[in-house]
Amino acid sequence: MTPTAEHRPTYATTDLDNLAYNFHSVREFLGPQNKVLAVVKANAYGHGAVGCSRRLESEGVDWLGVALPEEGIELREAGIRVPILVLGSFWPGQVDAILDHALTPVILTFEQASALNNAARRRDLTADCHLKIDTGMGRIGVRYDAVAELASKLSMLTNIRIDGVMTHFAAADDLEQRSFTKLQMQRFDQSVEILRSNGFAPTFVDLANSPAAIAYPESRRGMARIGGILYGLGGDVLPAGIPAPTLKPVLSLRSAIAHLKNVPKGETLGYGRTFMTVRDSVIATVPIGYADGYPRAVSNKGKVIIKGGFAPVVGRVSMDWTIVDVTDIPAGIGDEVTLIGREGSLSIAAEDIAQWAGTISYEITCGVSQRVERRT
Ligand SMILES: *Cc1c(COP(=O)(O)O)cnc(C)c1O
């Protein structure tokens, strides 16, 4: 452990070599006929969007995907040159920023298509965009049964080009819902057919997210939009027991013991007094809390690695501090605490924390907050 002089010793590390490993592993698994759009929204699922995007670009990624124009602008300002798809489209005031930064927006409504068309016409250019079809997620995009009507209206907009058509699966991670996933594919195919018969000729036709790309080869169609598995987060989004690329975890989260105390049997610890010592105990306090993204939901459930042993989280995780029981570990002040990551033969994955907290690993990595020092 090398705490920096200026910071408390709580930090997150993004292993860019493992990110690159996962990228090549996934790309090889999908085959050369499929392009990879790496999804780096939400600060690359908490792994640092600029660092991850630079590395993926140098490894040969075809596209990057962000949720918001703001996220795409950050990448362009950092010098990223590969095509960037803005999955969540844009708000009315953002259409010029989209064109200024050469971002490719996803279009969800005719009004957006029209706004983009007007802005492109003012600049005397044709703007590329991708059209999102809602085939069963029920969230954003044009409903599959409204595509025909939209297609004829879109044909009148001469300053945009629908260069991609996409949809998003609701339950590709759950093979028991296979028939619904197949229904989404059917609805999508019909929608693309309608667009083609109206004269549209999209270069990209993409459906697959991480679970679909791995579990449903027929969903790949030349490009897959891959997020979670690039960050090694396959554990709770890939169906068990299917062929899958090998993945390595990318994020680790570490801190150090700040305080140690002997607490006699029968005393309570933390807010709400939810834990009582059942023996004379040695209790360590770690400077990380739910304000850092270590979830309060792991109170009395989680564990951390210290000196080659697991130490259970005791009592409530609070905003700035977490208490762990080190009675069985020869721990000292300043000893390294691994909250996510590997230490010797022991490891804790983001998926483990997610399970203790009753959520998915994506929420855990996305949740590592601004307050946590970042290292690569
Ligand atoms: C976030 C997102 C993805 C990536 O999903 P993963 O499960 O992380 O692979 C793909 N497509 C769209 C539209 C998304 O919003």
Coordinates of all heavy atoms in Angstrom, one line a residue, residues 25-64:
S25 N -10.6 -10.5 -26.8 CA -11.3 -11.8 -26.5 C -12.7 -11.8 -27.1 O -13.2 -12.7 -27.8 CB -11.3 -12.0 -25.0 OG -11.9 -13.2 -24.7
V26 N -13.4 -10.7 -26.9 CA -14.8 -10.6 -27.4 C -14.8 -10.5 -28.9 O -15.6 -11.2 -29.6 CB -15.5 -9.4 -26.8 CG1 -16.9 -9.1 -27.4 CG2 -15.7 -9.6 -25.2
R27 N -13.9 -9.7 -29.4 CA -13.9 -9.5 -30.9 C -13.6 -10.8 -31.6 O -14.2 -11.1 -32.6 CB -12.9 -8.4 -31.3 CG -13.1 -8.0 -32.7 CD -12.4 -6.7 -33.0 NE -10.9 -6.8 -33.0 CZ -10.1 -5.9 -33.5 NH1 -10.6 -4.8 -34.0 NH2 -8.8 -6.1 -33.4
E28 N -12.7 -11.6 -31.0 CA -12.3 -12.9 -31.6 C -13.6 -13.8 -31.5 O -13.9 -14.5 -32.5 CB -11.2 -13.5 -30.9 CG -10.4 -14.5 -31.6 CD -9.0 -14.7 -31.0 OE1 -8.3 -13.7 -31.0 OE2 -8.8 -15.8 -30.5
F29 N -14.2 -13.8 -30.4 CA -15.4 -14.6 -30.2 C -16.5 -14.3 -31.2 O -17.2 -15.2 -31.7 CB -15.9 -14.5 -28.8 CG -17.0 -15.4 -28.4 CD1 -16.7 -16.7 -27.8 CD2 -18.3 -15.1 -28.6 CE1 -17.7 -17.5 -27.5 CE2 -19.4 -16.0 -28.2 CZ -19.0 -17.2 -27.7
L30 N -16.7 -13.0 -31.5 CA -17.7 -12.6 -32.4 C -17.4 -12.8 -33.9 O -18.3 -12.9 -34.7 CB -18.1 -11.1 -32.2 CG -18.6 -10.7 -30.8 CD1 -19.0 -9.3 -30.8 CD2 -19.7 -11.6 -30.3
G31 N -16.1 -12.9 -34.2 CA -15.7 -13.2 -35.5 C -15.4 -11.9 -36.3 O -16.0 -10.9 -36.0
P32 N -14.6 -12.0 -37.4 CA -14.2 -10.8 -38.2 C -15.3 -10.2 -38.9 O -15.2 -9.0 -39.3 CB -13.2 -11.4 -39.1 CG -13.4 -12.9 -39.2 CD -14.0 -13.3 -37.9
Q33 N -16.5 -10.9 -39.1 CA -17.6 -10.3 -39.8 C -18.4 -9.3 -39.0 O -19.3 -8.6 -39.5 CB -18.5 -11.4 -40.4 CG -19.2 -12.2 -39.4 CD -18.4 -13.3 -38.8 OE1 -17.2 -13.3 -38.8 NE2 -19.1 -14.3 -38.1
N34 N -18.0 -9.2 -37.7 CA -18.8 -8.3 -36.8 C -17.9 -7.2 -36.3 O -16.9 -7.4 -35.7 CB -19.4 -9.1 -35.6 CG -20.5 -10.0 -36.0 OD1 -21.5 -9.5 -36.5 ND2 -20.3 -11.3 -35.9
K35 N -18.4 -6.0 -36.4 CA -17.7 -4.8 -35.8 C -18.1 -4.7 -34.4 O -19.2 -5.3 -34.0 CB -18.2 -3.6 -36.6 CG -17.7 -3.4 -38.0 CD -18.0 -2.1 -38.5 CE -17.7 -1.9 -40.0 NZ -16.4 -2.4 -40.5
V36 N -17.3 -4.1 -33.6 CA -17.6 -3.9 -32.2 C -17.8 -2.4 -31.9 O -16.9 -1.6 -32.2 CB -16.5 -4.4 -31.3 CG1 -16.7 -4.1 -29.8 CG2 -16.4 -5.9 -31.4
L37 N -19.0 -2.1 -31.4 CA -19.2 -0.7 -30.9 C -19.1 -0.9 -29.3 O -19.8 -1.6 -28.7 CB -20.6 -0.3 -31.2 CG -21.1 1.1 -30.7 CD1 -22.1 1.8 -31.7 CD2 -21.6 1.1 -29.3
A38 N -18.0 -0.3 -28.8 CA -17.8 -0.4 -27.4 C -18.6 0.7 -26.7 O -18.4 1.9 -27.0 CB -16.3 -0.2 -27.1
V39 N -19.4 0.3 -25.7 CA -20.2 1.3 -25.0 C -19.4 1.8 -23.8 O -19.0 1.1 -22.9 CB -21.5 0.6 -24.5 CG1 -22.4 1.6 -23.8 CG2 -22.3 0.0 -25.7
V40 N -19.2 3.1 -23.9 CA -18.4 3.8 -22.8 C -19.2 4.9 -22.1 O -18.7 5.8 -21.5 CB -17.1 4.4 -23.4 CG1 -16.2 3.3 -23.9 CG2 -17.4 5.4 -24.5
K41 N -20.6 4.7 -22.1 CA -21.5 5.6 -21.4 C -21.2 5.6 -19.9 O -20.6 4.7 -19.4 CB -22.9 5.3 -21.7 CG -23.4 3.9 -21.2 CD -24.7 3.5 -21.7 CE -25.1 2.1 -21.3 NZ -26.3 1.6 -22.0
A42 N -21.7 6.6 -19.2 CA -21.6 6.7 -17.8 C -20.2 6.5 -17.3 O -19.9 5.6 -16.5 CB -22.5 5.7 -17.1
N43 N -19.3 7.3 -17.9 CA -17.9 7.2 -17.5 C -17.3 5.8 -17.7 O -16.6 5.3 -16.9 CB -17.7 7.7 -16.1 CG -16.2 8.1 -15.8 OD1 -15.5 8.5 -16.8 ND2 -15.8 8.0 -14.6
A44 N -17.7 5.2 -18.8 CA -17.3 3.8 -19.1 C -17.6 2.9 -17.9 O -16.8 2.2 -17.4 CB -15.8 3.7 -19.4
Y45 N -18.9 2.9 -17.6 CA -19.5 2.1 -16.5 C -18.6 2.3 -15.2 O -18.4 1.4 -14.4 CB -19.5 0.6 -16.8 CG -20.4 0.2 -18.0 CD1 -20.6 1.0 -19.1 CD2 -21.1 -1.0 -17.9 CE1 -21.5 0.6 -20.1 CE2 -22.0 -1.4 -18.9 CZ -22.2 -0.6 -20.0 OH -23.0 -0.9 -21.1
G46 N -18.2 3.6 -15.0 CA -17.4 3.9 -13.8 C -15.9 3.6 -14.0 O -15.2 3.8 -13.0
H47 N -15.4 3.2 -15.1 CA -14.0 2.9 -15.3 C -13.2 4.0 -15.9 O -12.0 3.8 -16.1 CB -13.9 1.6 -16.2 CG -14.5 0.4 -15.7 ND1 -15.8 0.2 -15.5 CD2 -13.9 -0.7 -15.2 CE1 -16.0 -1.0 -15.0 NE2 -14.9 -1.6 -14.8
G48 N -13.8 5.1 -16.2 CA -13.1 6.3 -16.8 C -13.2 6.3 -18.3 O -12.5 5.5 -19.0
A49 N -14.1 7.2 -18.8 CA -14.4 7.1 -20.2 C -13.3 7.5 -21.1 O -13.0 6.9 -22.1 CB -15.6 8.0 -20.5
V50 N -12.5 8.5 -20.7 CA -11.4 9.0 -21.6 C -10.3 7.9 -21.7 O -9.9 7.6 -22.8 CB -10.9 10.4 -21.2 CG1 -9.6 10.7 -21.9 CG2 -12.0 11.4 -21.4
G51 N -9.9 7.5 -20.6 CA -8.8 6.5 -20.6 C -9.2 5.2 -21.3 O -8.5 4.7 -22.1
C52 N -10.4 4.7 -21.0 CA -10.9 3.5 -21.7 C -11.0 3.7 -23.2 O -10.7 2.9 -24.0 CB -12.2 3.0 -21.1 SG -12.1 2.4 -19.4
S53 N -11.6 4.9 -23.6 CA -11.8 5.1 -25.0 C -10.5 5.2 -25.8 O -10.4 4.7 -26.9 CB -12.6 6.4 -25.2 OG -13.9 6.3 -24.6
R54 N -9.5 5.9 -25.2 CA -8.2 6.1 -25.9 C -7.6 4.7 -26.1 O -7.1 4.4 -27.2 CB -7.3 6.9 -25.0 CG -7.5 8.3 -25.1 CD -6.2 9.1 -24.5 NE -6.5 10.5 -24.6 CZ -6.5 11.3 -23.6 NH1 -6.1 10.9 -22.4 NH2 -6.8 12.6 -23.7
R55 N -7.7 3.8 -25.1 CA -7.1 2.5 -25.2 C -7.9 1.7 -26.3 O -7.3 1.0 -27.1 CB -7.1 1.8 -23.9 CG -6.4 0.4 -23.9 CD -5.0 0.6 -24.3 NE -4.3 -0.8 -24.4 CZ -3.6 -1.3 -23.5 NH1 -3.3 -0.6 -22.4 NH2 -3.1 -2.5 -23.6
L56 N -9.2 1.7 -26.2 CA -10.0 1.0 -27.2 C -9.7 1.5 -28.6 O -9.7 0.7 -29.5 CB -11.5 1.0 -26.8 CG -11.9 0.3 -25.5 CD1 -13.2 0.7 -25.0 CD2 -11.9 -1.2 -25.8
E57 N -9.6 2.8 -28.7 CA -9.3 3.3 -30.1 C -8.0 2.8 -30.6 O -7.8 2.3 -31.7 CB -9.3 4.8 -30.0 CG -9.0 5.5 -31.3 CD -9.1 7.0 -31.3 OE1 -8.5 7.7 -30.4 OE2 -9.9 7.6 -32.1
S58 N -7.0 2.8 -29.7 CA -5.7 2.3 -30.1 C -5.7 0.8 -30.4 O -4.8 0.3 -31.1 CB -4.5 2.7 -29.2 OG -4.6 1.9 -28.0
E59 N -6.6 0.1 -29.8 CA -6.7 -1.4 -30.0 C -7.6 -1.7 -31.3 O -7.8 -2.8 -31.6 CB -7.4 -2.1 -28.8 CG -6.6 -2.0 -27.5 CD -5.2 -2.7 -27.5 OE1 -5.1 -3.7 -28.3 OE2 -4.3 -2.2 -26.9
G60 N -8.1 -0.6 -31.9 CA -8.8 -0.9 -33.1 C -10.3 -1.0 -33.0 O -11.0 -1.6 -33.9
V61 N -10.9 -0.4 -32.0 CA -12.4 -0.5 -31.9 C -13.0 0.2 -33.1 O -12.5 1.2 -33.6 CB -12.9 0.1 -30.5 CG1 -12.8 1.6 -30.5 CG2 -14.3 -0.4 -30.2
D62 N -14.2 -0.2 -33.5 CA -14.8 0.4 -34.7 C -15.7 1.6 -34.4 O -15.6 2.6 -35.1 CB -15.8 -0.7 -35.4 CG -15.0 -1.9 -35.8 OD1 -14.2 -1.8 -36.8 OD2 -15.1 -3.0 -35.2
W63 N -16.4 1.5 -33.3 CA -17.3 2.6 -32.8 C -17.2 2.7 -31.3 O -16.9 1.7 -30.6 CB -18.8 2.3 -33.2 CG -19.2 2.5 -34.6 CD1 -18.9 1.7 -35.7 CD2 -20.0 3.6 -35.0 NE1 -19.5 2.3 -36.8 CE2 -20.2 3.4 -36.4 CE3 -20.6 4.7 -34.4 CZ2 -21.0 4.3 -37.2 CZ3 -21.3 5.6 -35.2 CH2 -21.5 5.4 -36.6
L64 N -17.6 3.9 -30.8 CA -17.8 4.0 -29.4 C -19.3 4.4 -29.2 O -19.9 5.1 -30.1 CB -16.9 5.1 -28.7 CG -15.4 4.7 -28.7 CD1 -14.6 6.0 -28.3 CD2 -15.1 3.5 -27.8

